[in-house]
Amino acid sequence: MRRQIYPDEHFEIALSRKLLGQTRIPIIETTRWLYRQHRDALTAYRDIYEVQRVLAKVAKTAWIKYRLEDRRDLQQYMFLYFTVASNFDSDPDIAALLASPGRKPGDFAAAVESLSPETVARLKVTGTPPGDKVAG
């Protein structure tokens, strides 16, 4: 995408087919991964396309609040959102990790992958139902 700002302060955007397939936030790949790995937890959804619509809204929130754009981080964020609790990020430990100024791409994914089964169970019991369709 090319932007041109003119002296009279109007601007024009030029889109190019050369950018086709280049995405900053891997929504489609994450949806496919989630549907393939956790389909049994997505029974409230009619199909993968409904999952993708909700996931896109959740990804928007994840990016705005936490600047998540790494593929693995996004996958684990969606894993927690869709299979554990929609408000998992209100947990103090997870909130601190997401808010960490020194967090690097992949750090969140690694932390989620190392959560104990007891921690995941606690999040599920104390959190809101997973996969809230009204997200974002």
Side-chain angles (χ1 to χ4, degrees), residues 12-37:
E12 296 177 7
I13 298 175
L15 301 175
S16 170
R17 291 183 186 261
K18 292 179 183 177
L19 297 176
L20 192 62
Q22 296 181 14
T23 57
R24 184 170 173 178
I25 300 176
I27 292 171
I28 294 170
E29 295 83 1
T30 303
T31 303
R32 288 177 182 156
W33 173 85
L34 182 68
Y35 205 72
R36 188 174 53 249
Q37 298 295 319

Side-chain angles (χ1 to χ4, degrees), residues 92-106:
D93 295 331
I94 292 179
L97 175 64
L98 286 166
S100 173
R103 190 187 75 226
K104 294 177 182 62

Side-chain angles (χ1 to χ4, degrees), residues 92-129:
D93 295 331
I94 292 179
L97 175 64
L98 286 166
S100 173
R103 190 187 75 226
K104 294 177 182 62
D107 286 353
F108 179 71
V112 171
E113 290 166 351
S114 69
L115 288 175
S116 69
E118 294 80 20
T119 300
V120 173
R122 179 182 51 78
L123 289 171
K124 193 167 199 150
V125 168
T126 60
T128 57

Side-chain angles (χ1 to χ4, degrees), residues 10-82:
H10 86 275
F11 70 95
E12 296 177 7
I13 298 175
L15 301 175
S16 170
R17 291 183 186 261
K18 292 179 183 177
L19 297 176
L20 192 62
Q22 296 181 14
T23 57
R24 184 170 173 178
I25 300 176
I27 292 171
I28 294 170
E29 295 83 1
T30 303
T31 303
R32 288 177 182 156
W33 173 85
L34 182 68
Y35 205 72
R36 188 174 53 249
Q37 298 295 319
H38 304 285
R39 189 174 191 169
D40 56 329
L42 304 172
T43 57
Y45 295 88
R46 289 186 303 267
D47 54 33
I48 193 170
Y49 304 106
E50 186 178 18
V51 172
Q52 183 175 328
R53 283 189 295 276
V54 175
L55 190 142
K57 291 178 184 178
V58 176
K60 175 183 174 185
T61 301
W63 189 83
I64 290 170
K65 286 174 79 174
Y66 308 116
R67 296 294 190 237
L68 289 181
E69 59 185 70
D70 177 73
R71 178 188 53 81
R72 285 186 54 237
D73 286 342
L74 197 57
Q75 286 174 346
Q76 294 308 310
Y77 188 94
M78 296 309 164
F79 161 73
L80 290 174
Y81 184 89
F82 283 94

